[in-house]
Amino acid sequence: MKPLKIGILGLGTVGGGTFDVLTRNGNEISRRAGRDIQIVAVGARNPERAIKRMSGVAIPVMSLEQTVASPDVDVIVETLGGYEPAKSLILKAIANGKHVVTANKALLAMHGDEIFSAARAKGMIVAFEAAVAGGIPIIKALREGLVANRIEWIAGIINGTTNFILSEMRSKGLPFETVLADAQAKGYAEADPTFDIEGIDAGHKVSILAAIAFGIPLSFEKAHVEGITKIQAQDIRYAEEMGYRIKLLGIARRRENGIELRVHPTLIPAKRLIANVEGVMNAVLVKGDAAGATLYYGPGAGATATASAVIADLVDVARLIDADASHRVPYLAFHHDRIGTEPVLAIDEVQTSYYLRLRVDDKPGVLADITRILADNHLSIDALLQKEPDEGEAQTDIILLTHETVEKNVRRAIAAIEALATTRAKVVLLRLENLA
Ligand code: HSE
């Protein structure tokens, strides 16, 4: 069979990794795909660096524009990242009759609808396994392996940088800034680390997962996104004392009145497998009504791990390229004319449990006032921890864990607690998921 000819845009971490793994495992991959996968062009902004990166392998290096126009290329592998020029190049590649494999979660989360529509109109494949959780085949699992299930919820550690930071803060007691600098030095963080630490990267990924899991449109702009910059060492410590770990989770959950789509630091019971996913590793827990809970664990970033996902997509293209487009798996798992209309719920309507840290005067009646406010707002206490005040201090920390409730009840209760004369600081709110 004739080879599949690919052009790679960008020979950075992911593009370079794809080049390495295809070179290293080409024979084995070809035995699986039923045809060779040949790199026939590399599009680079800096051709000299690309030539050096290929250390002697003679593949034509050209401009990005030339690569997407090259008549030799069947598939464009976009590993540039960012919105532009990636989006224009992908749309040009599709218009030129090329299939696309991309690792670009930000682009798909924001402009996926436009890209998939253009690809559908031209009969082109757009594959993106590498966009979510690097080397973990979570897109394949959700789109194909779990196709029989009505998915109830997904909860994932889908940003390695923040998981590394939280792990180091907990295990070594280091402050946030020190660990972030280390993560950047190790090359885990995005070019703009605010995408990692503010939860935006995880937001992009969970909105892709939610679309595939529930058959809803890509809805990043409706997601509630919070990062880890406000996490304090004492909350990590208190959570641990109460049997929990704090993880940045991407959560998508089906409710009767809509879909919860949220990213935020979350307390989860320390005994759960996912609570023990440490460092840059990723994990995604999927609850389906038929399969039950399934857990996917692995490296969420890195050159060869992400290349593994890119090449899996290339092999799919190699197998499907001659098949009728109607035989392909839909881009977002559901047929585009059967997309659901369930609303994404505002954060006020989300139902979960809560960790509240209160700084209050240590004197009689304070706790009674607080519990009255909680009761008035339909909040039920699951656990309560009162810390001994420091020597000579007249104030103390009270930590409350609540049973599940609607977030607006908690907001109302917090406003009333903060209005008490005996409350000495803003209440710290973190969400808690049992993931049972
Ligand atoms: N910055 C991302 C992370 C890389 O830390 O997980 C992969 O998307």
Side-chain angles (χ1 to χ4, degrees), residues 105 159-161 188-190 196 201 205 300-301:
K105 58 259 161 147
N159 181 271
T161 302
Y188 302 148
E190 295 290 298
D196 296 299
D201 178 70
K205 292 169 180 166

Coordinates of all heavy atoms in Angstrom, one line a residue, residues 105 159-161 188-190 196 201 205 300-301, ligand 1:
K105 N -4.8 21.9 22.3 CA -6.1 21.9 23.1 C -6.7 23.3 23.1 O -7.9 23.5 23.1 CB -5.8 21.4 24.5 CG -4.7 22.2 25.3 CD -3.4 21.5 25.3 CE -2.3 22.4 25.7 NZ -1.2 21.8 26.4
N159 N -3.6 18.7 34.2 CA -2.5 19.6 34.1 C -1.4 19.2 35.0 O -1.5 19.3 36.2 CB -3.0 21.1 34.4 CG -1.8 22.1 34.1 OD1 -1.1 22.3 35.0 ND2 -1.7 22.6 32.9
G160 N -0.3 18.8 34.3 CA 0.9 18.3 35.1 C 1.6 19.3 35.9 O 2.1 19.0 37.0
T161 N 1.7 20.5 35.4 CA 2.4 21.6 36.1 C 1.8 21.9 37.4 O 2.5 21.9 38.4 CB 2.4 22.9 35.2 OG1 3.0 22.6 33.9 CG2 3.1 24.0 35.9
Y188 N 8.0 22.0 32.3 CA 6.6 21.4 32.4 C 5.6 22.5 31.9 O 4.6 22.1 31.4 CB 6.3 20.9 33.8 CG 7.2 19.9 34.4 CD1 7.4 19.8 35.7 CD2 7.8 18.9 33.6 CE1 8.2 18.9 36.3 CE2 8.6 18.0 34.1 CZ 8.8 17.9 35.5 OH 9.6 17.0 36.0
A189 N 5.9 23.7 32.3 CA 4.8 24.7 32.2 C 4.6 25.1 30.7 O 5.5 25.0 29.9 CB 5.2 25.9 33.0
E190 N 3.4 25.6 30.4 CA 3.1 26.2 29.1 C 4.0 27.4 28.9 O 4.5 28.0 29.9 CB 1.7 26.7 29.0 CG 0.7 25.6 29.1 CD 0.6 24.7 27.9 OE1 0.4 25.1 26.8 OE2 0.9 23.5 28.1
D196 N -1.4 27.4 32.9 CA -1.3 26.3 33.8 C -1.9 26.7 35.2 O -2.9 26.1 35.6 CB 0.1 25.8 34.0 CG 0.7 25.3 32.7 OD1 0.2 24.3 32.2 OD2 1.7 25.8 32.3
D201 N -5.5 25.9 31.0 CA -5.1 24.7 30.2 C -6.1 23.6 30.6 O -6.6 22.9 29.7 CB -3.7 24.4 30.5 CG -3.2 23.1 29.8 OD1 -3.1 23.2 28.6 OD2 -3.0 22.1 30.5
K205 N -9.0 21.5 28.3 CA -9.0 20.1 28.2 C -10.3 19.5 28.7 O -10.9 18.6 28.0 CB -7.8 19.5 29.0 CG -6.5 19.8 28.3 CD -5.3 19.4 29.3 CE -4.0 19.7 28.7 NZ -2.9 19.6 29.7
G300 N 1.1 13.3 31.2 CA 0.3 14.2 30.5 C 1.0 15.2 29.6 O 0.4 16.0 28.9
A301 N 2.3 15.1 29.6 CA 3.1 16.0 28.8 C 4.4 15.3 28.5 O 4.7 14.1 28.9 CB 3.3 17.3 29.5
Ligands
HSE1 N1 1.4 22.5 30.4 C1 0.7 21.3 30.2 C2 0.7 20.6 31.6 C3 1.3 20.5 29.2 O1 1.4 21.0 32.5 O2 0.0 19.5 31.7 C4 0.5 19.5 28.4 O3 -0.7 20.0 28.0

